[in-house]
Amino acid sequence: MMNHRKRDGFTSKFGAYAAVVGSAVGLGNIWRFPYMTGENGGGAFLLIYFIFVIVIGIPVVLSEFVIGRRGRGNSYASFVKLAPKSYWYLVGLMGIFSAFIILAFYTTVSGWTLHYIYLSVKDIFSATVSSSPAEIFNEFQKGTVMPLLWQFIFMIFTVLIIISGVQKGIEKSSKILMPALFLILVILSIKTISLPGAMDGLRFLFYPDFSKINSNVILDALGQAAFSLSIGMGALITYGSYIKRDNNLFKTALSVSLTDMGIAILAGVAIFPALFSFGLSPQQGPGLVFIVLPEVFQQMMWGEIFALLFFILLAIAALTSTISLLEVVVAYFSEEFKMKRRNATIFGAALAFILGIFTTLSFGPLRNAKLFEKTVFDNCDFLSTNILLPLGALFIVIFLGWFYEIDQTKDEITNQGTVRVWFFPVFVFIIRFVAPLAIFLVFLKGLGII
Ligand code: TRP
């Protein structure tokens, strides 16, 4: 069965880079990374996260690209193509399942960013407002209609981009949004670094205090690295299938991973100096950027403007990530069930939104509905980030390292022998031994099994 229709895809190197960076850079960098670093003691967490990105992250990004570009299909189809008559397609299906879970809780927070853009425009963070940012956040979160409405609107934005297709939707929007995001982040960092007392924040971020490290910190760092790089659930397999044959996969994997880490650190540089400068604690959990930062903005000159910039930044970061999550689902539905792209998009988004209702309300009316002492939101976050993603990454490296023919992988990475691959033996060593072992151990230890 031949498909003669040209498959949609990324048209240029920069387009592919922007799209993958768009997927990687998201709430994970700007919302999750700062609070995880804050809760896990600062510099030491950063260091472990850094090591995981280099040793596990980059090889897994490259592995997913190989599977996707070789398989030329969604995350399910690529496995079927590369390993027919086997059960490896289950890894692809698990990824599609993860996409729903992540998309659900991710759009909860994405919706908050829209509400905060609205609040910033209304000038709510100026000094004249009487309620504190914590009160504002709690009031908003407790609600039903507003958080759901914003989440819904955010989903609509995501849907509109995905309906437009890979090139006209994903690639085009990423090429505009990612440079904008970078510019805003640089402006914010320059501003906060120049605040009095900024050094304390930088010391917290960069100075490793090893007494803070335990197995939970290590599992969190692994989860954070996986989440931030969008690995382990087929997003990069799907995007990899859109990358042209003559692009250098290793260079793309490397530049994307370094950019992602760079943006997370830059976000830390924009946030921690501000916290320490105003004497606020970095240990605030998920509310960090929604409670503590507005407090900073209230006290800062031109605070309203910086608040507005910051939440626009957050929304942009979120949007280029939700599109990559929805694309995983849409590519699967449209290719496997021959659904029209438009219908697949609406259907996928609707399913994710239904689950999303529960993650959003778990801060309000469903706050006490707990399983394993965690809310719906926390369960979705934990299940996907700390379990499904590392597990997905584990299977992916085992598949490429041990089951798929290594010469085929080499052929794909070298573009059929046209680019040099000095690192190839290192890559093979990592995906065969280092990465599987590291993920396995961290995983068991973090879950308290060993
Ligand atoms: N990487 C994104 C972030 O840091 C989130 C994300 C998008 C993601 N697509 C993903 C995470 C796929 C895991 C898998 O915000």
Side-chain angles (χ1 to χ4, degrees):
M1 193 180 64
M2 278 291 281
N3 186 356
H4 291 286
R5 210 156 34 100
K6 200 169 156 286
R7 200 162 174 266
D8 202 357
F10 303 134
T11 55
S12 66
K13 276 186 201 152
F14 179 69
Y17 168 80
V20 183
V21 167
S23 168
V25 172
L27 295 174
N29 304 61
I30 300 161
W31 161 75
R32 202 173 189 282
F33 172 77
Y35 87 75
M36 291 305 285
T37 307
E39 281 182 338
N40 286 316
F45 179 80
L46 177 64
L47 184 71
I48 302 173
Y49 160 78
F50 177 83
I51 294 170
F52 282 146
V53 169
I54 302 291
V55 179
I56 298 175
I58 298 172
V60 177
V61 172
L62 182 57
S63 301
E64 290 202 28
F65 283 169
V66 168
I67 296 171
R69 195 170 71 171
R70 198 123 188 121
R72 283 278 138 185
N74 59 77
S75 70
Y76 161 84
S78 293
F79 276 106
V80 172
K81 184 92 164 277
L82 264 47
K85 303 198 190 67
S86 74
Y87 286 110
W88 285 104
Y89 69 86
L90 289 175
V91 180
L93 289 184
M94 184 175 90
I96 293 158
F97 174 69
S98 313
F100 278 111
I101 299 181
I102 301 177
L103 197 51
F105 80 84
Y106 207 89
T107 48
T108 293
V109 182
S110 305
W112 299 350
T113 68
L114 294 184
H115 183 66
Y116 271 68
I117 291 177
Y118 161 76
L119 291 182
S120 310
V121 172
K122 267 185 45 190
D123 242 15
I124 201 99
F125 302 126
S126 64
T128 49
V129 174
S130 54
S131 14
S132 74
E135 284 162 3
I136 295 174
F137 187 63
N138 291 334
E139 269 311 302
F140 165 64
Q141 260 194 341
K142 267 196 293 187
T144 303
V145 178
M146 286 309 276
L148 286 178
L149 185 67
W150 289 119
Q151 182 183 23
F152 185 74
I153 294 174
F154 199 92
M155 195 63 106
I156 298 282
F157 286 144
T158 309
V159 163
L160 290 179
I161 295 179
I162 290 300
I163 282 185
S164 311
V166 178
Q167 184 205 330
K168 295 209 181 78
I170 299 175
E171 180 176 5
K172 208 165 149 201
S173 60
S174 303
K175 282 200 315 207
I176 301 167
L177 293 175
M178 293 326 285
L181 174 142
F182 186 68
L183 188 71
I184 297 176
L185 193 54
V186 170
I187 295 173
L188 287 169
S189 312
I190 293 175
K191 168 70 191 172
T192 56
I193 282 197
S194 60
L195 291 170
M199 274 315 290
D200 292 337
L202 293 182
R203 187 168 314 118
F204 177 80
L205 178 61
F206 291 114
Y207 180 79
D209 174 359
F210 291 106
S211 68
K212 299 266 165 60
I213 295 179
N214 58 41
S215 53
N216 284 328
V217 174
I218 296 177
L219 179 64
D220 275 347
L222 178 67
Q224 177 61 27
F227 186 82
S228 189
L229 289 171
S230 302
I231 58 181
M233 47 75 64
L236 299 183
I237 294 178
T238 309
Y239 273 23
S241 75
Y242 301 137
I243 297 179
K244 282 185 160 178
R245 289 263 177 240
D246 61 350
N247 283 18
N248 186 326
L249 290 185
F250 174 65
K251 274 194 191 155
T252 310
L254 185 69
S255 53
V256 165
S257 306
L258 295 181
T259 306
D260 183 64
M261 193 159 56
I263 297 274
I265 293 175
L266 201 56
V269 168
I271 290 170
F272 289 113
L275 296 186
F276 282 78
S277 176
F278 292 101
L280 298 163
S281 160
Q283 279 153 308
Q284 300 283 333
L288 182 71
V289 301
F290 293 96
I291 297 176
V292 183
L293 279 187
E295 213 151 312
V296 171
F297 293 133
Q298 270 190 353
Q299 299 174 43
M300 203 157 97
M301 198 159 107
W302 303 101
E304 308 84 7
I305 295 179
F306 287 107
L308 182 61
L309 277 179
F310 179 79
F311 290 111
I312 290 177
L313 166 80
L314 211 53
I316 292 177
L319 185 61
T320 52
S321 294
T322 51
I323 59 179
S324 77
L325 289 161
L326 186 56
E327 180 62 23
V328 170
V329 174
V330 170
Y332 174 66
F333 283 161
S334 61
E335 290 173 2
E336 301 310 315
F337 301 102
K338 305 283 170 272
M339 283 170 89
K340 283 215 179 71
R341 187 171 178 88
R342 193 168 147 267
N343 297 345
T345 308
I346 294 171
F347 182 56
L351 284 183
F353 185 73
I354 292 173
L355 180 59
I357 293 175
F358 293 93
T359 55
T360 295
L361 295 186
S362 75
F363 290 91
L366 299 180
R367 164 170 2 103
N368 295 320
K370 292 191 177 169
L371 187 67
F372 310 122
E373 294 166 44
K374 284 186 165 76
T375 62
V376 181
F377 181 96
D378 290 339
N379 270 310
C380 285
D381 183 4
F382 185 82
L383 174 66
S384 57
T385 310
N386 285 9
I387 297 181
L388 294 176
L389 295 183
L391 213 56
L394 180 65
F395 287 132
I396 284 165
V397 284
I398 291 179
F399 173 68
L400 266 203
W402 297 96
F403 289 86
Y404 193 57
E405 230 180 292
I406 227 67
D407 288 341
Q408 300 277 338
T409 300
K410 187 165 184 175
D411 187 64
E412 192 61 44
I413 292 180
T414 59
N415 295 349
Q416 290 72 50
T418 55
V419 285
R420 278 175 36 119
V421 281
W422 57 267
F423 60 88
F424 193 71
V426 183
F427 172 70
V428 173
F429 183 70
I430 289 182
I431 60 169
R432 278 203 171 151
F433 303 104
V434 184
L437 212 64
I439 298 172
F440 193 63
L441 289 178
V442 170
F443 200 54
L444 292 190
K445 194 131 179 64
L447 293 179
I449 297 171
I450 51 171

